[in-house]
Amino acid sequence: MVLNGIFSKKHNMTIIMVMLIIATCGSFMQIAGTSWDVTSHIMEEPETFFTPSHAVLYAGVALLTVAAGISVILLIRNNELRGSSIATPLKLLIIGSTISLVAGPSDFLWHETFGVDGLLSPPHLALITGMLINAVATVLGLARIAVHITSHTRQRLIKAAMVPAFAALWFTTTWYVYMFSLPFSNGENFQFNLNPDIASLIAIVTLPMLSSIIFLTASKSIGRFGAGTIVSALVVGINIFANIIPSQGMLSSILPWYSIIAILPALLADIILYNSTIKSKLGLRATELIAGILVSSVFYIFNYPVLTWAFAIPLDMPIANQQGIQAVANLTSNFLSTLPVMLSITLVPAALMGLLGALFVSKKIAVPTFQRQQLQPSEFILQEK
């Protein structure tokens, strides 16, 4: 009887909203813990299950599992929900969480069978795929349920939840690209590293485009000045927490400079997007294109320090022949010494990829207003025009 009351149809929207907020927290913690765990491996810290990074990672997995379980109950008990647009993100949560749960023991069996593996092993690829599906599900779910919420307080809550949801999506897509770009995938029995030139090309093409798409979609979905900047700042914050702070100070010397340069383009993009004078002179599409170019053009700095390794071999950096703590100790100096060359190589391609990402958002992503009373249940925020 208690279960019937909690999951009654009149409570469905509230339950879904709370569940998506739980999933957002889970997705955020999962990618932060995963990135922190990779840094711990690079720092050659003792490998045990009971580590702080694992605690954050598996706490996120637990929250996503709870959200997926609630999704199963809701879909089973409500025929109308199964036919609505909200069903898709719920199904994605179930799929993503299932893949993540299966990937854990699969990774253990892989280690037992093949020994130490690299970044791009099948279990690791399955895990990051499940994480990406979960991140997409939370963003899509929050966007679609917003159409069904009439309370202004809850609308503000949903908009607030979109900030960490988009940040988690951004950082997860970044790590998905890292899987194919970083030279960390050679293990004891399998050599999964891609050709260094191809790996670096993948990073140059995909990371700027994804940055542009996610920044502009977040800005349009949340619909307020500063939203895109806050999402960008939160991504930078995750990066600092998971990849820079655990380096025992080895990567912190340029932290103030890095933080300003990484966030400043997003702030400028926000000003262009929401300044009425600029919009009236240039038009909405032009401002979106300029914003996309700004955010994407400094992707190499934005993704410091991890992305540096993707270009270590093509640029013949000393860290290409170093491992562990020695490589981390020299990473900042390698990054700074090659920065002029990297900017000359990446600025124009990154701007072009950002432009393509902005064109995609401008043409394909439609964001209705938050006047819920006038919308039909089948309408949703992220949809193709």
Side-chain angles (χ1 to χ4, degrees):
M1 291 295 293
V2 174
L3 190 64
N4 288 336
I6 294 174
F7 288 96
S8 63
K9 290 184 179 180
K10 70 176 182 178
H11 294 146
N12 273 350
M13 289 301 106
T14 300
I15 294 170
I16 294 172
M17 183 186 71
V18 173
M19 179 269 294
L20 288 170
I21 293 174
I22 292 172
T24 296
C25 295
S27 182
F28 190 88
M29 295 175 67
Q30 189 179 37
I31 188 58
T34 298
S35 187
W36 185 4
D37 189 51
V38 173
T39 304
S40 298
H41 282 285
I42 295 173
M43 292 295 295
E44 300 176 332
E45 295 181 1
E47 176 59 25
T48 65
F49 181 80
F50 299 101
T51 63
S53 58
H54 282 178
V56 175
L57 167 60
Y58 288 106
V61 172
L63 291 176
L64 285 162
T65 302
V66 170
I70 295 173
S71 298
V72 170
I73 296 173
L74 288 170
L75 290 172
I76 289 175
R77 297 177 66 87
N78 193 329
N79 293 332
E80 294 178 5
L81 183 61
R82 290 199 296 271
S84 71
S85 63
I86 299 177
T88 299
L90 300 187
K91 292 174 182 177
L92 288 174
L93 270 175
I94 296 168
I95 294 170
S97 298
T98 301
I99 293 173
S100 296
L101 288 172
V102 172
S106 298
D107 186 50
F108 174 78
L109 293 175
W110 181 272
H111 279 285
E112 288 292 304
T113 306
F114 301 113
V116 177
D117 59 354
L119 189 63
L120 191 59
S121 68
H124 290 169
L125 185 58
L127 176 62
I128 192 68
T129 299
M131 293 167 63
L132 181 59
I133 293 172
N134 283 332
V136 171
T138 55
V139 166
L140 193 61
L142 289 169
R144 291 188 172 185
I145 195 176
V147 175
H148 302 270
I149 301 296
T150 58
S151 166
H152 293 296
T153 300
R154 293 186 178 185
Q155 287 177 6
R156 287 193 292 269
L157 180 59
I158 290 171
K159 284 188 176 185
M162 283 183 180
V163 172
F166 274 107
L169 176 61
W170 195 336
F171 205 54
T172 304
T173 56
T174 298
W175 266 103
Y176 207 94
V177 175
Y178 285 167
M179 297 288 290
F180 302 93
S181 299
L182 299 179
F184 299 158
S185 296
N186 287 343
E188 291 182 12
N189 293 284
F190 297 98
Q191 314 300 310
F192 289 133
N193 278 348
L194 275 65
N195 176 280
D197 295 326
I198 294 175
S200 58
L201 183 62
I202 289 172
I204 292 173
V205 170
T206 56
L207 287 176
M209 183 182 296
L210 290 169
S211 296
S212 176
I213 290 173
I214 296 174
F215 174 86
L216 288 171
T217 304
S219 180
K220 293 178 72 172
S221 299
I222 301 171
R224 291 187 178 183
F225 170 74
T229 302
I230 295 173
V231 171
S232 301
L234 193 52
V235 175
V236 171
I238 305 174
N239 187 40
I240 292 172
F241 166 80
N243 299 322
I244 297 178
I245 292 177
S247 70
Q248 301 173 6
M250 296 180 188
L251 303 176
S252 302
S253 60
I254 64 170
L255 193 54
W257 172 84
Y258 156 73
S259 301
I260 294 171
I261 298 300
I263 299 172
L264 183 59
L267 178 59
L268 294 175
D270 248 335
I271 292 171
I272 291 172
L273 286 172
Y274 286 92
N275 184 280
S276 57
T277 303
I278 296 175
K279 280 203 299 185
S280 64
K281 290 183 177 180
L282 299 179
L284 177 59
R285 175 164 292 186
T287 58
E288 290 180 347
L289 299 183
I290 294 171
I293 291 171
L294 281 171
V295 170
S296 62
S297 60
V298 294
F299 84 101
Y300 182 68
I301 298 174
F302 188 83
N303 292 295
Y304 167 85
V306 178
L307 185 58
T308 309
W309 266 292
F311 299 92
I313 297 176
L315 292 185
D316 197 25
M317 298 181 192
I319 60 170
N321 300 313
Q322 298 169 351
Q323 293 182 344
I325 296 177
Q326 182 186 18
V328 176
N330 295 316
L331 192 147
T332 299
S333 61
N334 281 221
F335 170 79
L336 292 175
S337 64
T338 59
L339 185 58
V341 175
M342 279 304 306
L343 291 179
S344 66
I345 293 173
T346 62
L347 269 176
V348 173
L352 290 174
M353 291 302 104
L355 178 63
L356 290 177
L359 283 170
F360 172 81
V361 173
S362 178
K363 292 182 177 181
K364 297 294 183 179
I365 304 297
V367 183
T369 62
F370 267 67
Q371 297 300 318
R372 302 297 167 224
Q373 297 90 332
Q374 300 175 8
L375 297 177
Q376 298 302 316
S378 61
E379 292 182 289
F380 53 90
I381 278 193
L382 298 182
Q383 58 185 349
E384 291 193 353
K385 288 182 179 177

